Amino acid sequence: MKVALLQHTPDPELTVALAARLCYSKVGIDELKQKLTSSDIDSFLDKIMSLGHQSVLEHASFTFGIEGISRVTSHQLVRHRVASYSQQSQRYVSHKEQFAVVVPPEIAKNPEMLEMFQEQMGQLHECYARMVDGGIPAEDARYLLPNATETKIVVTMNARELLHFFAVRCCERAQWEIRAMSVEMLRLVRDIAPIIFRNAGPGCLGGPCPEGKMTCGRAQEIREKFHNL
């Protein structure tokens, strides 16, 4: 898996602070921008985040390039609807040579199951290639491709949606692949907007585990992990 931060709003925390200050100020944008110091931005964002006034976070956006995830994970990802997606097409991109697959760790560590998994993938690829060679369009042959098939996707989310995404997908209850992807996304945005994403992560970081009886039971361990991320 490869996760890269391709683009983001320039100086996202300044943008958010300006948007928030504008709501309560009589002066114009240029004057507001001149008056805002780094310490003003820090303290103002702290206040915004503590009060939960997060609509202004929607003015900051982040675009990621993600490779080497399975179609299982991309299907989970696109359920987050306040986002934009551009995914590698299985209709126009042929996998005739060999489609790469993601092997779940639980299968990889079991030699018998791994052999069976790889055998099935090989048979599916052989069938796919024969169909394409036989004149079947890739858009129809792709019906054979498994959920394990690797894909590439470009994702854009605003900061508010990212906070929600991290709360759900960084959780230990999330599946291993999308959890690993979301943790890496969080690492990248923390470097760019450390105040906005200071407390970002699974829902248990700010209080009791929201999963109730389904909790992993390791809230303190998880809090330490994301504090030191």
Side-chain angles (χ1 to χ4, degrees):
M1 180 190 302
K2 179 182 178 182
V3 181
L5 182 59
L6 302 180
Q7 298 286 342
H8 59 81
T9 299
D11 205 341
E13 295 190 328
L14 171 61
T15 301
V16 170
L18 280 171
R21 286 297 295 270
L22 183 67
C23 296
Y24 305 100
S25 177
K26 293 181 180 180
V27 304
I29 295 174
D30 289 340
E31 188 175 346
L32 273 178
K33 191 172 182 180
Q34 291 173 1
K35 287 183 175 181
L36 274 178
T37 65
S38 294
S39 59
D40 288 337
I41 294 171
D42 291 357
S43 60
F44 200 56
L45 286 178
D46 275 335
K47 184 176 182 180
I48 291 169
M49 301 304 293
S50 65
L51 293 174
H53 295 169
Q54 296 188 352
S55 63
V56 290
L57 299 179
E58 296 173 17
H59 294 291
S61 65
F62 301 81
T63 299
F64 303 87
I66 302 169
E67 299 181 13
I69 59 170
S70 69
R71 282 267 168 169
V72 169
T73 289
S74 69
H75 290 340
Q76 294 178 61
L77 175 60
V78 298
R79 292 175 193 157
H80 295 268
R81 295 166 61 187
V82 186
S84 298
Y85 303 100
S86 297
Q87 186 170 10
Q88 182 186 57
S89 172
Q90 289 183 336
R91 183 182 183 190
Y92 298 110
V93 178
S94 173
H95 294 275
K96 177 184 171 182
E97 298 304 320
Q98 177 67 53
F99 60 82
V101 298
V102 174
V103 182
E106 290 297 312
I107 294 177
K109 69 183 184 182
N110 184 317
E112 180 183 354
M113 296 298 106
L114 177 60
E115 182 180 358
M116 182 165 54
F117 180 89
Q118 291 174 330
E119 180 181 348
Q120 290 297 314
M121 295 303 107
Q123 289 178 1
L124 284 171
H125 175 260
E126 181 181 351
C127 186
Y128 175 92
R130 286 178 62 187
M131 282 194 173
V132 173
D133 286 340
I136 302 298
E139 65 178 15
D140 292 335
R142 65 177 166 162
Y143 280 73
L144 282 168
L145 297 176
N147 275 336
T149 307
E150 283 191 3
T151 189
K152 304 176 179 69
I153 193 166
V154 172
V155 183
T156 300
M157 292 187 188
N158 65 51
R160 188 182 196 181
E161 177 60 15
L162 276 172
L163 289 176
H164 168 70
F165 177 75
F166 295 144
V168 176
R169 299 302 185 176
C170 288
C171 175
E172 290 295 301
R173 290 271 298 146
Q175 193 173 14
W176 61 273
E177 190 179 11
I178 196 167
R179 185 171 68 246
M181 184 190 74
S182 62
V183 170
E184 186 57 28
M185 290 167 68
L186 176 53
R187 286 185 204 274
L188 293 171
V189 296
R190 269 195 181 171
D191 285 341
I192 305 301
I195 302 172
I196 292 174
F197 296 107
R198 178 184 296 157
N199 298 314
C204 63
L205 298 190
C209 174
E211 294 293 320
K213 292 181 180 180
M214 304 300 289
T215 180
C216 70
R218 299 188 289 118
Q220 187 55 42
E221 176 188 338
I222 301 303
R223 289 169 188 149
E224 291 176 4
K225 170 186 173 180
F226 282 88
H227 177 74
N228 298 316
L229 190 65

